Amino acid sequence: MELFMDTHTMGGPVGPDDVAKANEADLQNLDDTGVHYLRYWVEQELGTLFCLVDAPDADAAATVHREAHGLVADEIYPVAEGA
């Protein structure tokens, strides 16, 4: 498993309730994918979202988003945890 940070640019303000609903849809759509969404962050005014995910690969992480709610990440970066 690897860690990835994905980014979503929504192009305008985003409410925390909408983001929470999308995250819940992700969590309900994890069956047998090997994907584990760990945390997310939101910049509400610009509508930028960041998701930290443990996944077999970037494609698996993108597939969960696409199938859960259609909000596919603009970018997905492999990351390493630091202090």
Side-chain angles (χ1 to χ4, degrees):
M1 298 295 259
E2 296 181 64
L3 282 177
F4 296 92
M5 179 72 70
D6 72 24
T7 62
H8 305 258
T9 306
M10 306 308 290
V14 175
D17 291 340
D18 292 329
V19 178
K21 287 177 188 174
N23 182 65
E24 186 60 33
D26 285 330
L27 297 178
Q28 296 299 317
N29 200 47
L30 297 178
D31 294 340
D32 301 323
T33 63
V35 174
H36 303 280
Y37 280 91
L38 304 173
R39 287 187 72 131
Y40 65 88
W41 296 265
V42 181
E43 196 300 319
Q44 292 182 37
E45 292 302 314
L46 297 176
T48 305
L49 314 173
F50 305 89
C51 303
L52 181 64
V53 58
D54 185 28
D57 54 48
D59 288 337
T63 297
V64 170
H65 275 331
R66 184 175 52 255
E67 291 178 358
H69 47 64
L71 299 174
V72 178
D74 298 308
E75 302 285 338
I76 301 177
Y77 302 98
V79 294
E81 189 171 357

